[in-house]
Amino acid sequence: MSSGVSVNDEVVTTYNDLKTGRKYKYVLYKMNNDFTEIVVDKVVPAGASYDDFINDLKALPKEECRYAVYDFEWNTSDGGLRQKICFYVWCPDTSKMKAKMLYASSKDAIRKKLVGLGAEIQGTDWSEVDYETVLERVSRGAGNQ
């Protein structure tokens, strides 16, 4: 299902800067006021923490949705460092129905533009985006534990 929402070129540019240049730790994306285009909402430099990311989501009005990419890092049991770029769809239960529907139906448009995503995290409440929950999801598979 497509919503006809377009993706602003800056969305791809900031993602590529996060992915290849490690310039950012995470980027928040939103729909413009007319719900016709996905645009950059906030870029956060490398060095930020997962708590910073969650706090930015918590600072949003409770009825607003967001897309995000986060450069998720964790240490394996053998001391190795792993990284995965996670794509988040944040649509809290308190969001308006129109926003939920548009974000859900526009997700494929942005995902197709962001090549190389490692995992998708859908969040409707804080437990679904909690660090340990996401860690469990991204660390599945041989060599990631």
Side-chain angles (χ1 to χ4, degrees):
M1 177 168 65
S2 174
S3 63
V5 171
S6 65
V7 178
N8 185 286
D9 290 341
E10 189 182 6
V11 167
V12 177
T13 302
T14 56
Y15 170 71
N16 287 334
D17 287 344
L18 179 146
K19 181 176 88 169
T20 58
R22 301 290 186 211
K23 187 175 178 181
Y24 306 119
K25 185 64 175 178
Y26 62 92
V27 183
L28 299 178
Y29 304 105
K30 67 177 184 176
M31 291 205 193
N32 65 1
N33 292 336
D34 298 331
F35 292 98
T36 58
E37 185 178 38
I38 299 168
V39 297
V40 173
D41 183 33
K42 182 175 188 173
V43 293
V44 177
S49 70
Y50 198 76
D51 286 339
D52 295 329
F53 174 62
I54 294 300
N55 288 334
D56 276 344
L57 290 179
K58 286 183 176 181
L60 295 171
K62 65 180 182 174
E63 69 279 352
E64 289 193 15
C65 301
R66 288 293 187 276
Y67 299 115
V69 289
Y70 185 89
D71 186 7
F72 198 92
E73 297 178 346
W74 72 98
N75 290 308
T76 61
S77 58
D78 64 0
L81 179 67
R82 298 284 187 268
Q83 291 178 290
K84 257 189 197 174
I85 298 176
C86 296
F87 175 73
Y88 289 75
V89 181
W90 174 248
C91 280
D93 291 328
T94 53
S95 299
K96 296 178 180 173
M97 185 56 67
K98 178 181 178 181
K100 287 182 188 181
M101 290 174 58
L102 280 168
Y103 272 78
S105 63
S106 302
K107 178 180 72 171
D108 285 345
I110 187 172
R111 283 220 44 168
K112 285 178 185 171
K113 299 275 187 176
L114 306 181
V115 177
L117 294 168
E120 181 176 318
I121 310 297
Q122 296 194 29
T124 59
D125 66 51
W126 299 115
S127 68
E128 295 171 334
V129 295
D130 175 71
Y131 180 85
E132 293 300 323
T133 303
V134 175
L135 175 61
E136 182 180 321
R137 177 112 186 254
V138 299
S139 64
R140 289 183 195 149
N144 287 330
Q145 304 298 316

